Amino acid sequence: MSGTAPTNVLIVGVGGQGVIMVSKVLAELCISQGLNVKQSEVHGMAKRGGAVFSHVRYGDTIHSPTIPKGEVDILVAMEWAEALRWLGHLRPGGILIADTQRIVPPFACLNRERGADRRYTLETPPEILELVATGHAFDAGGMARDLGNERASNTIILGALSTTLDFPADAWLEIIRKAVPPKTVEVNERAFAAGRAWVETTDTEVEPYSVKAEIPAAPKVARLHPDLIIRDAWCKSCDICVKMCPERCLALDEREIVVLTNPDACTGCRLCEWLCPDFAISVALRETERVAAE
Amino acid sequence: MAFGATDTDIATESEARAMTGNEAIARGVWEAGAKVAAAYPGTPSTEILEALALYPEDDIAAQWSINEKVALDTAIGASFGGVRAFAAMKHVGLNVAADALMSQSYIGANGGLVIAVCDDPGIHSSQNEQDTRLFARMALVPVLEPSDQQEALDYTRLAFEVSERFDTPVILRGSTRLSHSRGKIWTGSRSTDEPKPFLERPDKNVMIPAHARARHPVALERERLIGDWLVEAGLTRREDGPDGATDRVGYITAGPAYTYLREILPDAPVLKLGASYPLPTGLIEEFVASYDRVLVVEELEGVIEESVRVRGIAVEGKAYFPRTGELSPEMVRAGLVAAGVLAPPEKTEAPIEFEPLIRPPLLCAGCPHSTCYLALRSANARVMGDIGCYTLAVVEPLSAIDTCVAMGSGIANAAGLAKAGTESKPIVATIGDSTFMHSGITPLIDAVYNNANITVFILDNHITAMTGGQDHPGTGKTLRGKETHKVDYEALVRAIGVTWVQQIDSYDVANVQRVLGDAIDHRGVSVIISDRPCVLDPVRIKGPAMTVVPDDCTACQACMNLGCPAITWSDEWHDGRHRVEIDQTLCIGCSLCAQLCAPGGIIPAADAPVALS
Ligand SMILES: Cc1ncc(C[n+]2csc(CCOP(=O)(O)OP(=O)(O)O)c2C)c(N)n1
Ligand code: SF4
Ligand code: SF4
C-alpha cells in the first residue's frame, strides 16, 4: 500500500498575505504534472490577521492531509516571526525559504509602560540561517515594492521555491499566469524571475535585499511615576478628558467632577492636561527608583 | 470505485480534478440529482452551498436560509415533495436544527434527505467541539463519515441512496480538515431520476403521539439493516494488510482518523467504517475475533468504542487517544506508543523551537465594529456579546465583551442579567446583522414583552462577515446574487414594539459615543443600529491611506486603542513611549484613528510632506 514518501511543503504567513494563493499554485502545478496531491488549510477565524498555514503534500500515495511534525521538507514563510513559529516542523536537512518582512501585530504593542518595547521576535535572519541546513531569507516585500507591485512578493517567494523543486520554470509560469489578476501578469513574471535569481545568483545585485542583522534597541528610560493634580473647582464636567484618556482611567464622580479611577493605568501622557479647556488637570512626573522595563 | 449494484457506480464518465472536501460534497449533491439545497453559513461548512450555487439553477435550487432549522425544514419540505434534498451546517448548527431532525427521523424521507454537518475538532473557528456522531445516535439517523475528498463525493451520492432505501434522513459528517483540504478526485455525471409523488400517509407524516409511538420502533428496526447494508455496499470494509504480516493488533477507525492511522501504519489490518452509526455488529465481531487486540482510533468522543463495548466486544481506544482536539499523525503515533504497539521514537536532535509570537485574529483595518466597542469600553458597559467578527473585540485593546454563549444568546442574556438586578453597569447586548436575523429577533420581542431595561446594539455591516461574506435577508441579495426583498431593520424593530431606535454611522466616533450615552439613559429596551459596510465583503473597500506626522505624535496611544492592524509602533520614541506609524498597504483610510488623535498627528498621506508619504 505504501509508495515512495511524499514531498512535504509547509507554507505559513499572516492572514491576508496570500498563503492560500501560494499553496494553491503549488497544488495546481502538481496536478498539471500528473501527481497526486493533498493541500490542507484552515479558514474562518485564522484569516483575520492571525497566523495562517497551509500544508501541501505530493507524490504517489498520500494519506494524511497534514504533514507530521518534523517531516517538512521545505518551509516557506511569508513573514519573519511566522518562520520561527514553524521552524521546529522542518525535518533535519530541510530547506527554509523566508520573507524577512516583519508584520508586528497590535498585540505586540500593548505594554503602555515607559520604555516598554514591542514583543516581537528578536532573532535575526543571520542567526536563524546558521541553524538550518539550507536557508534563503530575504526581503521579498522590498523587492516587490521595487518591482512596482507590493502584492508580487508572493510570486517572488514562488520563484525562490521553484529552485528547490523538480518542476520546469515554464510549468510554474503557466499556472501563475492563471492565478494572478490579468493586468499584473507581466509584473508577476518579473517577480518570479527575481525570486529565482535571488537564490541562484550570488552577485551584488541581490545585496540590497539581504537582511540586516540588527533590530533597533529600546532606549533606556528612567521610570517616572505620574501624579495627577486635579483642581475640582475648575472642572465643569465637560467629560472631554474622560472620553479622550487613552488609558480610560478617568471618570466623573457623583459630584460630576473628574477623578482618577485607576492610578496604575495612568501613563502620564498628558493628554488630559492638554485637552482640558479649563486647565483643571496637570500631570507631574516623579522619578522612582524602579528600573526600566525590558 | 464501485459500491456493488447501486446507482452510485460512477466509474464511467470520470474526470480527475482537485477539489476541497466542501466542493466534493457539493459535487456529490449535484451528481445525486438533488433539486433543493439550503444552508446557513458556518465554518467549516459554508463553501458547500457556495459551490452548489455554481451549478445551473435549473438543476438545483441552492439558497441561504435564515438559520439552520429553516434550512433543514426547507430540505424536509422538498423531500416530502419527492425530490432529493440537502441541507448543510456546521456542528453547532445542528443544535438549532435538532428539533426538526428528531421528528423527521421518525417520519423518514420520501425524496432522499441528506444533511451535511461539519464538525470542528480543535475548535479552529467555533464556540465548542461537540461530536455530531452522538447527535446522530440520539436521533437514530445514520451518520456517514468520509475520510478524504474522493469519499466526500462518493459518500454524499450514496447517502441519498441510503436515505431512500431505508426511509431515513442521513447525516454526512465532515470536519474542518476534510472540508478545507484539497485532493485529486474523480467525478461523475448527474443522475436524473423522476421525482416521486407526494406520499399521502398522515400516519407517517404527521407526528401526533399515536403515530410517533408507532414510528419509533420502525426507526430502531432500520438500525440493524443499514449497518449490514453498508458492508455490502463496500463502504465499510476490512483491509487486512499483506498476508502473514499481522502483528496480532487490529484497528477500527472512520473518517479522517483513517488517513492519520494509515500515515503511521500503512500496512496494518484495519476495519474502516463508513458510518459510526449504525454499526455492522457481525462484521465487527468477526474482525475483533481475528486479532489478539483491537484499538479504535477516532476523533473526539469514543462513539465507536463505546458502541462496540456495550455489545460485549473488547476493544480499547480513548485510554490512549484524546477526547478533545483534532487528531494528527503525531497524536496517533503518540497514542500507539502509549498503547505499547509502537516503540517510543529514538531520541533524535531536539527540534529548533522558539517561543511563538502571539498573533490572534483581529478586526480588519477600518472595521466598522471597532468604534462601537471603543464606545462601549468608554461607557464602562456590561456587554453581552454574540457570535461574529465582532466577538474578536474581546481581546485587548478593545477588550469590551463580557459574554458570548451561542448565536442569538446575547439579547436574552442581557435581559436575564437585567432581571437579576445585580448589575450596576449599563447592560448592552451587541449582535451582528446576520446573527440578529438568525436568532436575535425572538429574544428582542421577548425583551420588549417583559420590559427589560437593556440596550441592544445591532452591528449592521450588511453581510455575514465572519464566515467569509454571505448574503442574508438583510442584504437584499440571494445566494445566487439575485436582488430580493431587503429587510428594513428599523421598521422591523419598531414593529416589535421598540420605541427608542436610532441608526448611526459607526465611522462618526463622537456620535457613536453620544448616541450610546442616550440609549443607555433610556429606560426599557433601546436599540442602536450601526450602519457601515464591512471592509472586506461584498466589496473590498480601500480609500486613500492615512499617515502619521512623527513630530506631531505625542505617543499617547489613543489610536492604538482601536486595535487597527495597520497601526503599529514605529522605531521612534517620544517621552519614553513608542510613536506610531501606519502601514500604507493595510490602511483603508477610514479616518477613525485621525478622529482619535488629539494633536492632529494623523493626516491623509496625500496631504503629508513628500518625505513622509
Ligand atoms: C449555530 C451557529 N451557526 C453558524 C455559526 C457560524 N457563524 C459564526 S458568526 C456567524 C455570523 C456572523 O455574521 P454577523 O452576525 O452579521 O456578524 P459579522 O461577522 O458580520 O460581524 C456565523 C454564521 C455559528 N457559530 N453557530
Ligand atoms: S471582515 Fe468585515 S466585519 Fe469582519 S473584521 Fe473585517 S471589516 Fe470587520
Ligand atoms: S485610517 Fe487609521 S484606523 Fe483607519 S484603517 Fe487607516 S490606520 Fe486604521
Side-chain angles (χ1 to χ4, degrees), chain B residues 15 18 84 122 143 148 166 188 197 207 216 242 338 471 557 588 610:
Chain B
E15 195 186 330
R84 290 189 161 181
V143 55
D148 63 11
F166 296 98
M207 280 304 104
H216 192 180
D471 283 291
Q557 311 294 323
I588 68 137
V610 194

Side-chain angles (χ1 to χ4, degrees), chain A:
Chain A
M1 232 173 267
S2 48
T4 50
T7 302
N8 298 324
V9 184
L10 180 61
I11 300 152
V12 303
V14 177
Q17 272 196 303
V19 167
I20 308 296
M21 178 266 187
V22 167
S23 58
K24 260 190 177 164
V25 166
L26 177 55
E28 292 282 342
L29 177 67
C30 296
I31 298 254
S32 77
Q33 302 293 302
L35 291 160
N36 204 353
V37 64
K38 281 191 181 174
Q39 181 230 329
S40 182
E41 64 204 35
V42 168
H43 301 188
M45 279 282 188
K47 279 207 169 165
R48 308 272 176 280
V52 178
F53 55 88
S54 176
H55 301 248
V56 182
R57 317 188 71 192
Y58 64 88
D60 298 334
T61 313
I62 308 147
H63 296 295
S64 166
T66 56
I67 307 166
K69 190 171 177 184
E71 292 181 23
V72 171
D73 298 305
I74 303 169
L75 174 61
V76 180
M78 302 173 68
E79 199 270 350
W80 186 240
E82 294 309 310
L84 268 62
R85 183 193 308 280
W86 297 97
L87 211 52
H89 287 246
L90 205 57
R91 73 167 161 78
I95 302 170
L96 168 70
I97 297 172
D99 186 338
T100 51
Q101 69 167 309
R102 298 188 294 156
I103 299 180
V104 183
F107 220 71
C109 309
L110 285 182
N111 190 343
R112 301 277 168 94
E113 279 176 37
R114 289 170 57 83
D117 207 348
R118 312 175 183 98
R119 273 195 317 211
Y120 186 85
T121 312
L122 291 174
E123 285 77 13
T124 62
E127 285 165 1
I128 297 302
L129 291 179
E130 285 283 298
L131 301 177
V132 295
T134 311
H136 309 288
F138 61 106
D139 180 14
M143 221 181 222
R145 228 168 294 132
D146 292 349
L147 285 174
N149 188 333
E150 305 250 358
R151 296 241 122 213
S153 63
N154 295 347
T155 313
I156 295 175
I157 292 286
L158 282 167
L161 175 63
S162 72
T163 62
T164 63
L165 300 174
D166 251 356
F167 303 112
D170 283 347
W172 283 91
L173 279 168
E174 202 173 305
I175 306 284
I176 290 171
R177 282 190 203 104
K178 278 186 265 174
V180 300
K183 277 198 213 127
T184 66
V185 167
E186 195 268 337
V187 67
N188 277 292
E189 284 170 352
R190 280 189 289 131
F192 184 76
R196 283 181 78 86
W198 202 90
V199 177
E200 284 170 345
T201 57
T202 45
D203 65 19
T204 45
E205 231 169 82
V206 299
E207 207 42 46
Y209 305 110
S210 313
V211 181
K212 301 153 283 295
E214 78 283 359
I215 290 171
K220 285 265 176 275
V221 291
R223 259 320 172 95
L224 296 175
H225 180 78
D227 285 319
L228 225 57
I229 302 146
I230 297 174
R231 297 171 200 88
D232 290 2
W234 292 6
C235 172
K236 62 165 186 242
S237 322
C238 74
D239 214 24
I240 289 177
C241 57
V242 176
K243 287 269 161 25
M244 296 301 284
C245 171
E247 307 313 322
R248 298 169 271 224
C249 55
L250 298 173
L252 296 186
D253 65 8
E254 61 292 341
R255 304 164 302 157
E256 301 272 288
I257 301 295
V258 66
V259 285
L260 179 62
T261 51
N262 187 355
D264 289 344
C266 173
T267 62
C269 76
R270 292 185 192 273
L271 211 56
C272 51
E273 178 182 297
W274 293 331
L275 291 176
C276 176
D278 296 276
F279 307 103
I281 309 183
S282 357
V283 178
L285 295 173
R286 186 161 39 87
E287 284 237 20
T288 64
E289 56 281 75
R290 284 186 292 163
V291 273
E294 69 281 7

Side-chain angles (χ1 to χ4, degrees), chain B residues 170-192:
Chain B
V170 174
I171 292 177
L172 183 89
R173 187 220 193 193
S175 71
T176 303
R177 195 55 63 189
L178 181 80
S179 288
H180 293 162
S181 295
R182 225 173 239 99
K184 185 170 158 177
I185 65 174
W186 298 92
T187 57
S189 51
R190 180 170 162 94
S191 60
T192 45

Side-chain angles (χ1 to χ4, degrees), chain B residues 411-432:
Chain B
I411 296 176
N413 290 160
L417 181 65
K419 294 289 168 172
T422 49
E423 184 55 68
S424 54
K425 296 179 172 190
I427 300 171
V428 181
T430 58
I431 183 165

